[in-house]
């Protein structure tokens, strides 16, 4: 960990450093909003009819209102909560399952490894969103179910990365030495392999989070996982869209679709920049700015 | 070198055999998922008011009371025969429902893919050749933004702008109801209309196709462009590039023949993975644009708990993904002689 | 002083032979993020028609950089100074298109590792045709014919034109690279460590091939290497580089038998030969070209150094019209041991010699 910090400090003023800084600012901002949501939003996001239907944005309803009278501003703010909660849960699940499996599979090898790789590769090669919606449909709606649906998609990634890294660390001499000293397999994995392998996890974490938001948005747009009246941006867009196609009442309600969309985009950009910046610094093979 | 075609064929056969386990696993996954579903499909279908007896009858009919392994075996057998069962909702063979919509999805996906490759190559090569300058930064930003903007959101914005505000393009559907669609040869309306010799039908099809496939294509192109750029930058530093320059080879040839072609090898592999992303994106695109394809159909079937249909559609998708994977391997073998020999 | 083989017996070049390439005051500086690396400084060399001129030195002494500089194949942020005159023009100031037309056609370059220097996705024939078509407007059939002729000249069966690089052995690949380099019968061939990665037998074959081709086509060869054995075997004239500078040059006979510069002497005495009972070496490490010393770069390792060595790089001195060197205290004159150091068994540290 100290190594990473030292490298970060040295690179702060390069493009990579800039990316990390901007990405971090964005993510932390969203985090802050999520934590302070009750204080920041003037209305209860799930309360019907706090305002007139479809009001344009003004001083009271900063982002306007929806067809059912929800305040979009409050909903957008609380949306950060939903988003970050689910992403956190999904990532946790994926890491808790994917990483240990990767470690064990990579270290032990044999038929267990072969089967796991086959399964993980098959899941990995299947379209993310389709897998997610099938699982979400099967499990039903709810935050935890949505998180599980999203997590299954990412388990193979954590598995793969961990396994690959384990494979290379496994051949290091210090591991061989530990084996010669009679350390048990579990010990070796826990004390030698894992600390080395865990280096690659932060980058995957951030990039996956970006993707998870996207998947989540898609899920909710289609009507799976998160259902009204829970506040989430994808859901808002979906409702707006259904309303538009039904009533053809387009121009008046541009804010209903546009604003939640921006909320999604900015968070994803934040995570992506953070992940890429970290990647540039921690994995300098593709160091381009060596001028 | 007569060996050439021989080893290529062998390679194809080997790849085919290796994909079988993957398909098998995906099919099993589908099966397990749908059996795990809480709630009883039979009673869900019949609604809450049917008597226990009727429900029981339906369950018998659907074979839901048999042991899991028997059901599994039956499922696999059916897939091999191409029999996906009967849709709960529509009471027709699932395969019929799939067949009609499969070509719609294929047309959308193929067109989007072509657009994505075109944009990706252009942006990728362009920014690789202008490393460090403003174009490079723009190209990079394009990559990030095209990925970050959700497909459905861009789709809606595009509908609002081009469809409603400008009125240039239709916002939903695949073909207007008032015109007779071209005779079905391939199921791909673009080709069918050309085969029929009807330019007007071709143009109409294009009008409906352009917006959804553009949106889907752009969404995929970003990642592709960045991959092309990264790989090209690497290959342009390669020893054989320097050696080629030392021989006085024209710069354009160096960049394209040596740089791009070698960069394409890992990129082609990645394209295979992108196909899965494309299918996922198709779900959103088809829903947003009311495109009568398999992907949007899946969503509806899921919401209505029509499990045989879902099973069938997901199986088809799994086979498509596996098929593309084999195709990619073959293309790779064609490009890179080291794999064959 | 014995060497393995007798040098300089194949000299076709005389001091009056026509000069093919003239290098005057060449500087090559790399600009990296943190510092400037002076890879070559004030290099003066002449290459004469029909000769084999060897450039010797340890790793990172600037010799490879020199080869790349002549054809300007350097990365973008490189500062070049001085002139390289070829056919009456200064190559360093040429427009890129003009330079491109010279590369491969009038001046050719072969490299150390032929495997990485060929595009794995292209057949041998395609390598030839792209080279040929970049310089002349010829048809595919004609290109194929010329490629076959070129391959034949280097001993590769023309039937293998359609094969891919990975299907050849190392020696064959280097032959193909030579064929590619000579397909236009250039005036100058620069061989940058061309035999370093080959085993001894293949190396001998390649050297013999180069000699034959040189005689046949009247080629001038600039041979860049760190292998003194190779130098001894084929060179007419030799230049020794250290720390980015040419410290001594002369005919092979002069340099091998009457080396003046302490570094040259040290280099020569560290060659292992039959009958030696002890090892000889030069203490210390090659200099960091990113932080060059104000004076002679060899000073820290030199056992003949004197205080004035730190002041500035020595001026050139002549021992003969062909033999020149840059040293204020060369071997055979003045204080200090006569070059090189021999270790006797059991001796651990250096004794005697100048105190630090």
């Amino acid at each position: 960990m100290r190594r990473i910090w030292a490298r970060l400090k040295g690179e702060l003023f390069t493009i990579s450093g800039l990316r990390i800084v901007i990405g971090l600012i964005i993510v932390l901002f969203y985090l802050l909003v999520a934590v302070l949501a009750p204080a920041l939003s003037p209305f209860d996001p799930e309360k019907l009819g706090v305002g007139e239907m479809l009001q344009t944005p003004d001083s009271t309803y900063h982002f306007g209102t929806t067809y059912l009278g929800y305040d979009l501003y409050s909903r957008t703010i609380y949306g950060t909560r939903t988003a970050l909660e689910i992403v956190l849960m999904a990532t946790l699940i994926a890491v808790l399952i994917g990483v240990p499996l990767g470690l064990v599979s990579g270290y032990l090898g044999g038929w267990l490894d072969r089967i796991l790789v086959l399964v993980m590769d098959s899941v990995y090669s299947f379209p993310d969103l389709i897998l997610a919606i099938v699982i979400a449909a099967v499990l039903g709606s709810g935050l935890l179910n949505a998180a599980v649906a999203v997590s299954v998609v990412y388990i193979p990634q954590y598995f793969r990365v961990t396994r690959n890294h384990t494979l290379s660390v496994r051949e290091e001499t210090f591991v061989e030495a530990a084996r010669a000293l009679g350390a048990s397999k579990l010990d070796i994995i826990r004390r030698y392999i894992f600390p080395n392998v865990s280096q690659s996890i932060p980058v995957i974490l951030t990039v996956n989070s970006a993707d998870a938001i996207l998947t989540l948005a898609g899920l909710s747009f289609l009507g799976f996982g998160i259902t009204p009246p829970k506040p989430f941006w994808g859901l808002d867009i979906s409702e707006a869209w259904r309303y538009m196609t039904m009533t053809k009442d387009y121009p008046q309600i541009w804010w209903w679709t546009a604003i939640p969309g921006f909320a999604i985009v900015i968070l994803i950009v934040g995570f992506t920049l953070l992940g890429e910046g970290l990647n540039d610094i921690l994995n300098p093979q593709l160091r381009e700015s060596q001028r | 070198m007569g060996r050439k075609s021989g080893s290529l064929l062998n390679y194809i056969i080997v790849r085919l055999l290796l994909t079988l386990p993957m398909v098998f696993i995906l099919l099993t996954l589908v099966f397990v998922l749908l059996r795990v579903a809480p709630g009883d499909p039979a009673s869900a279908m019949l609604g809450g008011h049917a008597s226990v007896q009727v429900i029981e009858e339906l369950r018998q009919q659907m074979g839901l009371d048999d042991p899991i392994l028997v059901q599994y075996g039956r499922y696999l057998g059916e897939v091999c025969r191409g029999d996906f069962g009967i849709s709960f909702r529509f009471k027709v063979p699932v395969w019929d429902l799939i067949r009609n919509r499969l070509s719609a999805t294929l047309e959308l996906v193929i067109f989007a893919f072509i657009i994505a490759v075109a944009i990706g190559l252009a942006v990728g090569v362009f920014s690789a050749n202008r490393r460090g300058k403003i174009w490079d930064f723009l190209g990079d930003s394009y990559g990030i933004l095209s990925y970050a903007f959700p497909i459905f959101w861009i789709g809606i914005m595009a509908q609002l702008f081009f469809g409603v505000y400008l009125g240039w393009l239709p916002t939903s559907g695949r073909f207007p109801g008032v015109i007779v669609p071209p005779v079905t040869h391939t199921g791909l309306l673009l080709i069918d209309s050309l085969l029929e010799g009807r330019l007007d039908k071709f143009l109409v099809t294009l009008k409906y196709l352009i917006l959804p496939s553009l949106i889907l294509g752009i969404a995929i192109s970003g990642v592709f462009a960045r991959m092309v750029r990264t790989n090209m930058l690497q290959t342009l530093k390669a020893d054989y590039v320097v050696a080629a320059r030392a021989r006085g080879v024209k710069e354009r040839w160096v960049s394209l023949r040596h740089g791009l072609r070698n960069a394409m090898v890992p990129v082609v592999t990645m394209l295979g993975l992108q196909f899965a992303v494309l299918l996922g994106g198709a779900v959103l695109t088809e829903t947003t644009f009311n495109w009568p394809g398999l992907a949007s159909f899946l969503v509806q079937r899921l919401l209505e708990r029509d499990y045989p249909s879902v099973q069938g559609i997901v199986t088809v998708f799994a086979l498509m993904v596996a098929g593309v994977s084999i195709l990619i391997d073959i293309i790779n073998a064609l490009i890179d002689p080291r794999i064959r020999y | 002083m014995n060497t393995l083989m007798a040098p300089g017996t194949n000299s076709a070049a005389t001091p009056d032979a026509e000069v093919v390439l003239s290098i005057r005051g060449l500087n090559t500086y790399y600009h990296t993020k943190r510092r400037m690396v002076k890879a070559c400084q004030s290099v003066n060399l002449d290459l004469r028609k029909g000769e084999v001129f060897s450039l010797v030195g340890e790793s990172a002494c600037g010799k490879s950089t020199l080869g790349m500089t002549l054809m300007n194949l350097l990365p973008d942020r490189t500062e070049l100074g001085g002139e390289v005159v070829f056919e009456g023009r200064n190559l360093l100031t040429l427009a890129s298109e003009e330079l491109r037309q010279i590369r491969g056609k009038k001046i050719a370059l072969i490299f150390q590792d032929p495997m990485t220097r060929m595009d794995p996705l292209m057949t041998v024939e395609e390598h030839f045709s792209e080279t040929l078509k970049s310089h002349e407007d010829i048809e595919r059939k004609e290109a194929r014919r010329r490629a076959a002729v070129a391959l034949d000249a280097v001993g590769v069966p023309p039937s293998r034109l359609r094969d891919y690089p990975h299907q050849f052995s190392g020696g064959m690949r280097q032959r193909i690279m030579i064929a590619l380099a000579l397909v236009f019968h250039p005036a100058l061939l620069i061989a940058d460590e061309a035999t370093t990665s080959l085993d001894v037998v293949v190396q001998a074959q390649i050297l013999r091939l180069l000699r034959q081709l040189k005689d046949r086509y009247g080629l001038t060869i600039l041979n860049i290497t760190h292998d003194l054995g190779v130098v001894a075997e084929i060179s007419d004239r030799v230049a020794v580089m250290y720390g980015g500078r040419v410290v001594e040059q002369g005919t092979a006979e002069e340099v091998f038998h009457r080396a003046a510069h302490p570094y040259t002497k040290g280099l020569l005495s560290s060659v292992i030969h039959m009958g030696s009972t002890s090892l000889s070496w030069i203490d210390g490490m090659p200099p960091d070209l990113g932080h060059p010393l104000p004076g002679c770069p060899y000073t820290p390792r030199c056992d003949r150094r004197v205080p004035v060595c730190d002041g500035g790089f020595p001026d050139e001195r002549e021992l003969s019209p062909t033999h020149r060197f840059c040293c204020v205290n060369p071997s055979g004159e003045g204080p200090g041991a006569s070059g090189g150091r021999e270790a006797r068994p059991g001796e651990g540290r250096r004794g005697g010699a100048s105190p630090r």
Side-chain angles (χ1 to χ4, degrees):
Chain A
M1 263 302 136
R2 224 178 302 140
R3 251 183 300 164
I4 299 179
W5 185 236
R7 263 198 270 201
L8 276 178
K9 280 201 286 191
E11 300 293 329
L12 221 38
F13 293 108
T14 61
I15 295 190
S16 320
L18 205 61
R19 280 198 192 143
I20 294 187
V21 168
I22 296 183
L24 204 57
I25 292 180
I26 295 179
V27 174
L28 287 179
F29 173 70
Y30 272 75
L31 207 58
L32 208 62
V33 169
V35 167
L36 297 178
L40 291 173
S41 46
F43 299 98
D44 181 346
E46 307 189 21
K47 189 139 182 255
L48 286 174
V50 288
E52 301 264 323
M53 282 172 20
L54 304 174
Q55 273 196 342
T56 46
D58 56 33
S59 50
T60 337
Y61 307 101
H62 304 294
F63 287 168
T65 59
T66 73
Y67 172 66
L68 294 174
Y70 291 125
D71 173 33
L72 199 60
Y73 184 64
S74 311
R75 279 185 74 83
T76 309
I77 291 182
Y78 267 85
T80 58
R81 273 207 172 175
T82 319
L84 290 174
E85 265 175 19
I86 297 186
V87 166
L88 199 67
M89 276 196 285
T91 311
L92 209 65
I93 298 175
V95 167
L96 286 178
I97 298 185
V99 171
L101 279 182
L103 283 172
V104 165
S105 182
Y107 189 70
L108 294 181
W111 57 265
L112 173 70
D113 181 40
R114 269 199 280 263
I115 292 187
L116 273 178
V117 166
L118 199 54
V119 171
M120 291 293 178
D121 272 354
S122 307
V123 174
Y124 184 69
S125 61
F126 197 72
D128 293 349
L129 194 61
I130 299 183
L131 196 59
I133 59 179
V134 172
I135 297 181
V138 159
L139 292 178
S141 70
L143 278 196
L144 185 60
N145 293 337
V148 170
V150 170
S151 72
V152 172
V153 165
Y154 298 114
I155 291 179
Q157 276 184 28
Y158 288 104
F159 172 81
R160 277 171 143 224
V161 170
T162 316
R163 177 180 173 272
N164 284 344
H165 213 155
T166 305
L167 283 180
S168 51
V169 171
R170 187 175 71 164
E171 305 304 323
E172 298 272 351
T173 33
F174 62 84
V175 172
E176 220 179 286
R179 258 202 299 260
L181 289 175
S184 77
K185 292 198 177 113
L186 194 60
D187 263 348
I188 296 182
I189 294 181
R190 191 166 49 91
R191 275 202 272 155
Y192 300 104
I193 312 231
F194 177 66
N196 278 286
V197 161
S198 56
Q199 270 181 43
S200 29
I201 299 189
V203 176
I204 316 271
L205 214 78
T206 42
V207 172
N208 263 348
S209 303
D211 209 59
I213 307 263
L214 214 47
T215 310
L216 199 55
L219 263 183
S220 56
F221 175 76
L222 294 170
F224 299 99
I226 312 179
T227 45
K230 262 234 161 294
F232 183 59
W233 312 312
L235 211 49
D236 286 321
I237 299 180
S238 150
E239 286 179 356
W241 176 71
R242 281 182 229 277
Y243 180 79
M244 277 199 297
T245 42
M246 272 201 307
T247 66
K248 312 276 186 222
D249 181 17
Y250 306 106
Q252 274 80 332
I253 51 164
W254 61 269
W255 65 89
W256 195 5
T257 39
I259 294 176
F262 278 118
I264 300 179
V265 171
I266 297 178
L267 182 57
I268 295 182
V269 170
F271 271 122
T272 308
L273 286 179
L274 189 59
E276 301 224 332
L278 278 179
N279 192 35
D280 279 347
I281 296 207
L282 297 180
N283 305 323
Q285 297 103 320
L286 297 176
R287 274 297 206 47
E288 308 156 329
S289 37
Q290 276 291 32
R291 294 294 193 147
Chain B
M1 296 278 145
R3 273 168 56 222
K4 203 166 172 163
S5 41
S7 30
L8 187 58
L9 191 60
N10 286 344
Y11 182 71
I12 295 177
I13 295 181
V14 169
R15 297 308 301 162
L16 236 121
L17 287 177
L18 285 179
T19 349
L20 280 180
M22 183 174 92
V23 175
F24 183 67
I25 294 205
L26 286 172
L27 293 183
T28 311
L29 199 64
V30 171
F31 178 82
V32 167
L33 276 178
L34 293 179
R35 292 295 176 282
V36 154
D40 173 36
S43 50
M45 255 181 56
L46 295 174
H49 311 290
S51 68
V52 177
Q53 202 180 25
V54 176
I55 296 183
E56 202 38 54
E57 235 175 64
L58 189 54
R59 284 184 65 91
Q60 285 268 14
Q61 217 177 38
M62 293 183 351
L64 287 176
D65 279 335
D66 298 332
I68 281 282
L69 283 182
V70 173
Q71 292 192 45
Y72 184 51
R74 202 183 317 138
Y75 166 62
L76 287 182
E78 286 169 355
V79 169
C80 292
R81 284 199 310 271
D83 169 20
F84 292 119
I86 313 280
S87 157
F88 285 173
R89 167 89 157 66
F90 293 115
K91 312 285 190 285
V92 294
V94 170
W95 177 240
D96 289 342
L97 296 169
I98 291 181
R99 198 155 38 114
N100 294 335
R101 293 174 173 75
L102 183 57
S103 53
T105 302
L106 277 179
E107 191 164 32
L108 174 67
V109 163
I110 292 177
F111 214 66
F113 185 72
I114 295 175
I115 293 179
V117 170
I119 299 182
L121 274 179
V123 173
V125 173
F126 195 71
S127 40
N129 281 332
R130 283 156 186 72
R131 202 186 96 181
K133 303 182 192 147
I134 189 73
W135 295 109
D136 193 13
F137 174 69
L138 287 178
D140 215 34
S141 312
Y142 174 78
I144 298 187
L145 288 176
S146 63
Y147 163 76
F149 280 71
I151 298 182
F152 55 89
W153 191 64
I154 291 278
I156 297 176
M157 295 291 140
Q159 280 177 324
L160 284 181
F161 188 68
F162 288 103
V164 179
Y165 183 64
L166 287 179
W168 288 353
L169 297 168
T171 58
S172 92
R174 190 185 179 196
F175 204 77
V178 286
I179 310 182
V180 177
V183 177
T184 312
H185 293 281
T186 62
L188 301 177
L189 294 184
L190 274 185
I191 302 186
D192 286 342
S193 50
L194 281 180
L195 287 178
E196 204 176 279
R198 294 287 299 267
L199 196 59
D200 58 334
K201 291 188 184 176
F202 180 78
L203 289 174
V204 165
T205 310
L206 206 58
K207 257 178 66 167
Y208 276 82
L209 183 59
I210 190 73
L211 206 51
S213 48
L214 195 66
I215 300 295
L216 187 53
I218 289 181
I220 306 292
S221 66
V223 180
F224 183 50
R226 302 182 92 210
M227 244 239 145
V228 167
R229 172 183 172 274
T230 305
N231 279 292
M232 261 202 86
L233 284 179
Q234 275 206 303
T235 51
L236 282 178
K237 283 194 239 169
D239 281 349
Y240 50 81
V241 167
V242 179
R245 288 210 183 100
R247 293 198 303 274
V249 176
K250 291 191 190 161
E251 190 58 34
R252 192 161 35 104
W253 288 356
V254 172
S255 166
L256 290 179
R257 278 205 203 146
H258 294 285
L260 186 58
R261 253 213 308 202
N262 279 274
M264 289 308 284
V265 176
V267 168
V268 164
T269 312
M270 186 223 126
L271 275 182
L273 293 173
Q274 285 296 87
F275 179 74
V277 180
L278 207 58
L279 275 184
V283 175
L284 296 169
T285 315
E286 288 185 8
T287 307
T288 314
F289 284 90
N290 227 335
W291 190 264
L294 206 52
S296 58
F297 193 54
L298 174 66
V299 174
Q300 295 162 22
R301 300 295 96 234
L302 266 177
L303 288 171
E304 293 181 8
R305 301 204 173 285
D306 184 357
Y307 288 137
S309 299
V310 170
Q311 210 166 267
I313 300 177
V314 174
T315 308
V316 168
F317 279 152
L319 291 173
M320 277 170 81
V321 169
V324 167
S325 153
I326 297 180
L327 196 65
I328 293 296
D329 283 337
I330 295 178
I331 295 182
N332 247 338
L334 284 175
I335 299 183
D336 189 346
R338 289 172 291 186
I339 299 181
R340 279 178 266 155
Y341 296 101
Chain C
M1 258 236 39
N2 312 324
T3 50
L4 264 173
M5 329 205 182
T9 46
N10 47 0
S11 171
T14 68
D16 326 305
E18 167 202 346
V19 171
V20 168
L21 186 92
S22 171
I23 306 175
R24 290 278 172 273
L26 181 65
N27 296 320
T28 307
Y29 302 155
Y30 293 124
H31 290 275
T32 68
K33 229 193 312 189
R34 295 185 191 125
R35 56 195 184 155
M36 179 170 70
V37 175
K38 296 194 175 178
C40 298
Q41 283 190 65
S42 311
V43 174
N44 294 315
L45 286 181
D46 282 337
L47 300 177
R48 297 181 187 277
K49 184 166 170 66
E51 75 172 344
V52 178
F53 190 106
S54 284
L55 191 56
V56 208
E58 292 169 278
S59 317
C61 69
K63 57 189 198 300
S64 279
T65 305
L66 185 59
M68 300 287 267
T69 308
L70 296 183
M71 300 241 274
N72 205 344
L73 287 171
L74 302 162
D76 283 332
R77 293 276 211 94
T78 313
E79 183 189 322
L80 297 175
E83 50 175 33
V84 176
V85 181
F86 177 76
E87 292 188 344
R89 296 188 291 178
N90 181 3
L91 296 182
L92 298 183
T93 57
L94 280 186
S96 56
E97 174 59 18
E98 290 177 305
L99 196 53
R100 181 193 73 76
Q101 285 169 1
I102 295 185
R103 289 193 197 129
K105 197 161 188 205
K106 309 257 184 79
I107 306 182
L109 191 41
I110 56 178
F111 298 91
Q112 174 173 346
D113 186 357
M115 183 64 226
T116 60
R117 296 289 175 176
M118 295 181 76
D119 188 331
L121 304 186
M122 284 173 50
T123 63
V124 171
E125 182 182 344
E126 287 169 335
H127 279 88
F128 274 99
S129 71
E130 84 167 348
T131 310
L132 287 164
K133 288 193 185 168
S134 290
H135 291 283
E136 288 177 19
D137 188 12
I138 57 180
E139 302 259 314
R140 248 178 70 193
K141 264 184 142 182
E142 172 67 12
R144 201 178 307 154
R145 190 193 63 81
R146 286 169 72 162
V149 168
L151 281 187
D152 191 50
V154 297
V156 174
S159 57
R160 301 199 66 180
L161 267 177
R162 294 287 196 68
D163 282 349
Y164 289 91
H166 66 275
Q167 294 172 278
F168 292 92
S169 70
M172 294 281 253
R173 276 184 228 133
Q174 194 62 297
R175 290 174 189 264
I176 298 174
M177 296 305 299
I178 295 175
L180 274 170
L182 299 183
V183 74
F184 282 110
H185 305 317
L188 172 63
L189 174 68
I190 305 175
D192 188 353
E193 307 271 15
T195 54
T196 306
S197 64
L198 304 170
D199 67 63
V200 187
V201 176
V202 178
Q203 178 178 293
Q205 292 173 346
I206 298 291
L207 288 178
R208 189 170 37 222
L209 176 65
L210 281 176
R211 239 204 308 247
Q212 285 172 357
L213 294 170
K214 178 196 75 131
D215 291 333
R216 203 198 300 189
Y217 297 122
L219 197 54
T220 309
I221 299 184
L222 174 60
N223 178 32
I224 302 176
T225 178
H226 64 265
D227 186 339
L228 287 173
V230 170
V231 173
E233 187 172 337
I234 61 167
S235 315
D236 300 317
R237 290 198 297 142
V238 181
V240 180
M241 271 189 90
Y242 187 83
R245 299 202 187 251
V246 174
V247 296
E248 183 159 6
Q249 57 175 300
T251 67
E253 210 254 334
E254 286 168 338
V255 172
F256 273 86
H257 288 162
R258 287 186 292 284
H261 197 282
Y263 174 62
T264 315
K265 288 217 108 173
L267 211 55
L268 291 169
S269 61
S270 52
V271 173
I272 304 173
H273 40 270
M274 302 283 282
S276 52
T277 50
S278 52
L279 290 177
S280 181
W281 70 87
I282 310 177
D283 277 332
M285 299 259 299
D288 178 5
L289 298 174
H291 299 104
L293 299 174
C296 172
Y298 188 55
T299 315
R301 300 166 81 181
C302 186
D303 53 359
R304 294 184 58 81
R305 66 174 169 270
V306 289
V308 67
C309 292
D310 287 315
F313 192 71
D315 293 327
E316 212 176 41
R317 290 168 52 175
E318 269 193 19
L319 272 187
S320 83
T322 48
H323 191 179
R324 301 197 285 277
F325 64 95
C326 299
C327 183
V328 296
N329 190 19
S331 324
E333 290 177 22
S338 54
R341 240 194 60 77
E342 284 205 18
R344 315 224 182 285
E347 207 173 2
R349 310 194 149 261
R350 54 189 297 179
S354 346
R356 195 67 182 98

